[in-house]
Amino acid sequence: MPSPSVPLSLVLRICCEFGLTAVLLLGVVTGVRWLFAPDGYGGGGAAFAVLGAGVGALLAALMLSAPGRRSGAHLNPAVTLALWRLGAFPGRDVLPYCLAQLGGSVAGTWVAAVVWGPVVARPPVGYAAVRPGPGWGEGAVVVAEAGVLAASALMLAGLLARPVGRRLLPYAVGLVTALVIALLGPLTGGSANPARQFGPALLAWEAGGTGPLLWAYVAGPVLGAVAGAVLWRRLGGGRQGGRQGARLGDRPVSPRET
């Protein structure tokens, strides 16, 4: 009896997710290093706006790249879960995708530390791990992160329901990411992506720091993504007479289409 094997297409897509997430985190840590370190821009509200614009543009470019078109360029475990719950991504590929994204987060953060040196490990950079602003507790962070991902899941569902929406998806995701970082960065940290926090938090812990908050930046996006997908399937699609919701659920969108 032949042993089961992983399809080559899935291996290639997993490698793409790993590499793309690594590039994303390399870009994020590089931006934080030059915008928030004392020998760079020096931080401040404008720094979050510049970082958001840069990360949003990078994310859109990665989604439009050849590897991004092959894997779908989720680059976010919460997005992968949302697409699965929307019926737009196969459940058997969820865990490999999420593991690839988390691994890419660690790799990209580590490469940035090698490239830019000890300044990446020291405050205020701290491997670019996000932290809530003054007055923001863990519960508030979970609620805010969940709200962002719930809205993002609804946006994904609406765009994926139409061919023109799928073409606009990279630009919409890039714009939303830029706004989240610019507006929520000074408040909650503006992560909205478990992979965004995972690598930086892990390396910060290994460096002997106090350890940045991780669980809230994982739980919030995951809960919000699932809630948004469920809301679309139960309410949004139904009010459309089943047209948009059914099409999203009847035929899973291939990775190249997401």
Side-chain angles (χ1 to χ4, degrees), residues 148-198:
V148 169
L149 261 296
S152 298
L154 292 172
M155 179 192 73
L156 286 172
L159 291 173
L160 288 173
R162 298 177 177 86
V164 65
R166 295 180 187 181
R167 292 193 293 270
L168 294 175
L169 187 59
Y171 309 102
V173 171
L175 177 59
V176 169
T177 300
L179 291 174
V180 168
I181 295 174
L183 299 178
L184 292 182
L187 304 177
T188 68
S191 172
N193 180 349
R196 159 66 181 88
Q197 179 74 334
F198 182 77

Side-chain angles (χ1 to χ4, degrees), residues 8-148:
L8 178 60
S9 62
L10 176 58
V11 173
L12 293 176
R13 289 188 281 117
I14 291 172
C15 290
C16 288
E17 282 292 300
F18 177 91
L20 291 168
T21 309
V23 172
L24 177 62
L25 265 293
L26 173 60
V28 168
V29 178
T30 296
V32 172
R33 184 261 178 270
W34 288 108
L35 287 170
F36 291 89
D39 62 341
Y41 181 79
F48 283 100
V50 174
L51 179 65
V55 173
L58 174 60
L59 184 55
L62 293 175
M63 293 179 71
L64 291 167
S65 68
R69 291 194 301 272
R70 174 177 288 276
S71 72
H74 300 180
L75 312 185
N76 184 337
V79 169
T80 299
L81 287 171
L83 291 170
W84 167 52
R85 296 306 302 160
L86 287 167
F89 189 73
R92 65 181 179 277
D93 294 350
V94 169
L95 181 59
Y97 260 57
C98 291
L99 292 177
Q101 293 152 2
L102 296 178
S105 173
V106 175
T109 306
W110 179 81
V111 170
V114 171
V115 171
W116 301 118
V119 67
V120 170
R122 295 194 296 262
V125 179
Y127 291 101
V130 295
R131 293 173 172 82
W136 283 83
E138 296 180 2
V141 169
V142 171
V143 172
E145 293 276 302
V148 169

